[in-house]
């Protein structure tokens, strides 16, 4: 099988997206709409769980929201005025239906469903200890450890059991949970993964991004604060803060790439920040060129900012087809090479004889940049300069982003000149980490390092990495589980 998008193997995959509705008639239909808006955060699988006051109902499927949740019979079967949903890329656990969320279990207190965006960085250690004490796991997802910790907690009330479970976790998480008593939404103490809260009439909505609120016509109220639990029971909303206050460290890559440009993240317009990053990149690394060309679609806002700051014209030198999905063929090398042009193709008449500056959001393995530069040269570009709207990605992420191990990151093994040679560009430059922070303060609010989780650039991980070895490589989960006590 060949993915006709030629660059899928060289992008950081966007973790997951979650969406929950409490107190709305036809809640599952609203959740399906919200998940459509969050599809960019996870395109591997999707699921919705609803509660009708008597029973929980779940539908989970591999693939996109469209096709799985656009059917009336599926939505009708998800009865109730409370529901939560999830779109997934697998960052832990294999790709299979048993790992698709929301995960659901029957506890002593009743049904418990959970949708999780993030990664529990000590989940394998917790899992091993739970299995040794008799727990039986049904998935390989780190999310299931949360259910087991709640189930085995010695505290009396469900909320206290839930808080007890959270206090044993390391890493990043935004959670939407459903119980017969109501809905719980929470964010890890550092706020690494995003979660926002809105209202639609009398119903309460939680989502990974504000764009999902926009799609269902909900009003954005605020972000769920780092370390906060918001509990919704009928029309009652309460807030709990069981963790000691810490300086927040939200993922900086939300503004670089993950979030949709039309979202607002922590009071910052994602689109405006990306334009500001591009402008900062033009100040730091100008190029003597004729055209500024974005690598679509993620490089477009930064390219607009670069062009406006530099005065070099912005043009669509790479045209993307939005109507190509996957082709289930087994091509030879020649057909495979031609297949990459089904999704992106050079605007040859515009590029021939011109000096171009390509703007992209990041370089991971470098294969994307190499193919794009080759595409420009084949189209007749006189010079090809590459500018990247983030610092070099030198470290893996262990907080819910599917990144290669560090040895496969181009910037971890090559200096700038070696990277330029590898991608065959005439020049290569990245925005500096200081420039990135400056762009994030472009709306008048200064940003002080390390106000974000920027570990993929700096290696400054804000939490322990219990399940990783000394080099930062994830420990094989099955090797952990096969360890024997003395």
């Amino acid at each position: 099988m060949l993915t006709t998008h030629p660059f899928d193997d060289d992008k950081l995959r966007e973790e997951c997206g979650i969406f929950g509705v409490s107190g709305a008639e036809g809640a599952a239909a609203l959740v399906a709409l919200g998940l459509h808006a969050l599809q960019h955060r996870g395109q591997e699988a999707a699921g919705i769980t609803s509660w009708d006051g008597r029973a929980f109902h779940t539908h989970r499927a591999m693939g996109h929201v469209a096709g799985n949740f656009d059917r009336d019979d599926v939505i009708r079967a998800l009865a109730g005025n409370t529901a939560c949903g999830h779109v997934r890329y697998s960052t832990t656990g294999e790709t299979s239906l048993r790992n698709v969320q929301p995960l659901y279990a029957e506890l002593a207190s009743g049904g418990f469903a959970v949708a999780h965006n993030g990664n529990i960085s000590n989940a394998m250690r917790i899992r091993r200890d739970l299995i040794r004490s008799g727990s039986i796991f049904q998935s390989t997802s780190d999310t299931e450890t949360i259910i087991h910790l709640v189930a085995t907690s010695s505290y009396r009330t469900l909320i206290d059991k839930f808080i007890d479970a959270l206090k044993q976790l390391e890493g990043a998480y935004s959670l939407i949970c459903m119980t017969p008593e109501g809905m719980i939404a929470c964010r890890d103490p550092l706020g690494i993964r995003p979660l926002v809260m809105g209202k639609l009439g009398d119903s309460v909505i939680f989502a990974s991004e504000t764009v999902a609120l926009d799609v269902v016509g909900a009003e954005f109220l605020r972000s769920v604060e780092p370390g906060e639990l918001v509990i919704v029971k009928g029309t009652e909303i309460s807030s709990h803060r069981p963790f000691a206050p810490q300086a927040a460290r939200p993922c900086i890559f939300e503004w670089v790439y993950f979030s949709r440009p039309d979202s607002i993240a922590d009071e910052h317009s994602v689109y405006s920040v990306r334009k500001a990053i591009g402008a900062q990149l033009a100040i730091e690394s100008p190029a003597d060129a004729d055209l500024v060309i974005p690598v679509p679609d993620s490089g477009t806002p930064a390219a607009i900012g670069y062009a406006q700051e530099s005065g070099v014209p912005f043009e669509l030198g790479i045209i993307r087809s939005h109507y190509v999905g996957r082709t289930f063929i087994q091509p030879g090398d020649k057909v495979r090479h031609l297949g990459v042009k089904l999704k992106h193709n050079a605007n040859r008449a515009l590029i021939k004889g011109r000096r171009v500056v390509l703007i992209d959001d990041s370089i991971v393995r470098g294969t994307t940049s190499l193919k794009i530069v080759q595409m420009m040269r084949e189209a007749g570009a006189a010079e090809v300069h590459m500018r990247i709207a983030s610092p070099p990605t030198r470290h893996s992420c262990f907080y819910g982003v599917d990144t290669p191990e560090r040895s496969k990151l181009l910037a971890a093994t090559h200096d700038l000149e070696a990277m330029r040679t590898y991608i065959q560009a005439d020049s290569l430059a990245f925005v500096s980490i200081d420039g990135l922070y400056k762009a994030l303060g472009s709306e008048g609010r200064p940003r002080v390092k390390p106000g974000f989780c920027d570990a993929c650039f700096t290696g400054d991980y804000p939490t322990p990495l219990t399940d990783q070895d000394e080099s930062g490589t994830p420990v094989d989960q099955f090797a952990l589980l096969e360890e024997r006590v003395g």
Side-chain angles (χ1 to χ4, degrees), residues 245-410:
Q246 300 182 55
R249 297 284 296 274
C251 172
I252 203 167
F253 225 88
E254 290 288 343
W255 288 270
V256 173
Y257 176 65
F258 292 145
S259 293
R260 260 180 50 164
D262 45 342
S263 282
I264 306 295
D266 285 344
E267 301 182 5
H268 283 59
S269 160
V270 174
Y271 178 78
S272 296
V273 168
R274 288 179 188 168
K275 280 183 63 180
I277 295 171
Q280 184 63 31
L281 186 56
I283 293 170
E284 294 180 356
S285 302
D288 190 8
D290 304 308
L291 301 174
V292 174
I293 294 174
V295 176
D297 288 319
S298 57
T300 301
I304 294 172
Y306 190 100
Q308 291 176 348
E309 179 64 34
S310 67
V312 179
F314 170 94
E315 294 286 357
L316 297 178
I318 301 171
I319 306 302
R320 178 186 174 191
S321 170
H322 293 266
Y323 304 101
V324 180
R326 293 180 180 269
T327 177
F328 294 88
I329 59 176
Q330 297 293 331
D333 289 341
K334 182 177 180 180
V335 177
R336 184 183 300 275
H337 178 70
L338 295 174
V340 301
K341 295 185 178 180
L342 290 174
K343 194 83 171 187
H344 292 84
N345 193 40
N347 191 348
R348 189 175 297 270
L350 180 72
I351 292 167
K352 187 175 181 179
R354 303 291 189 92
R355 300 166 299 170
V356 302
V357 182
L358 294 170
I359 309 293
D360 204 356
D361 58 88
S362 60
I363 291 181
V364 183
R365 293 180 177 89
T367 53
T368 293
S369 301
L370 174 60
K371 291 173 184 176
I372 288 285
V373 170
Q374 289 174 339
M375 184 186 295
M376 293 295 99
R377 296 206 188 280
E378 290 171 2
E383 295 177 11
V384 183
H385 304 274
M386 197 85 183
R387 296 294 181 267
I388 306 300
S390 64
T393 303
R394 294 193 172 99
H395 304 271
S396 299
C397 176
F398 301 108
Y399 299 123
V401 181
D402 186 16
T403 54
E405 61 187 61
R406 192 178 182 207
S407 63
K408 295 180 180 178
L409 296 171
L410 189 67

Side-chain angles (χ1 to χ4, degrees), residues 116-167:
H116 170 211
N117 170 211
N119 188 56
I120 309 304
S121 59
N122 63 336
M124 287 303 106
R125 301 284 178 179
I126 293 173
R127 181 186 179 102
R128 180 190 62 184
D129 293 342
L130 286 166
I131 288 175
R132 285 172 168 172
S133 63
S135 291
I136 300 172
F137 280 74
Q138 299 298 314
S139 76
T140 58
S141 169
D142 62 331
T143 307
E144 192 177 356
T145 60
I146 299 169
I147 296 176
H148 284 271
L149 288 173
V150 173
T152 58
S153 173
S154 60
Y155 283 81
R156 186 176 62 84
T157 69
L158 178 61
I159 293 302
D160 286 338
K161 288 175 181 289
F162 185 63
I163 292 171
D164 179 40
L166 296 183
K167 288 186 175 181

Side-chain angles (χ1 to χ4, degrees), residues 27-70:
L30 288 175
V31 171
L33 288 173
L35 294 182
H36 271 290
L38 299 174
Q39 187 73 86
H40 60 287
R41 298 185 72 89
Q43 300 175 39
E44 181 180 278
I48 296 176
T49 296
S50 69
W51 164 249
D52 65 6
R54 299 180 302 277
F56 287 87
H57 310 276
T58 296
H59 184 82
R60 302 182 297 162
M62 305 304 296
H64 290 186
V65 178
N68 286 315
F69 292 97
D70 290 350

Side-chain angles (χ1 to χ4, degrees), residues 452-463:
F452 299 88
C453 177
D454 54 19
C456 55
F457 307 134
T458 65
D460 178 17
Y461 295 99
T463 75

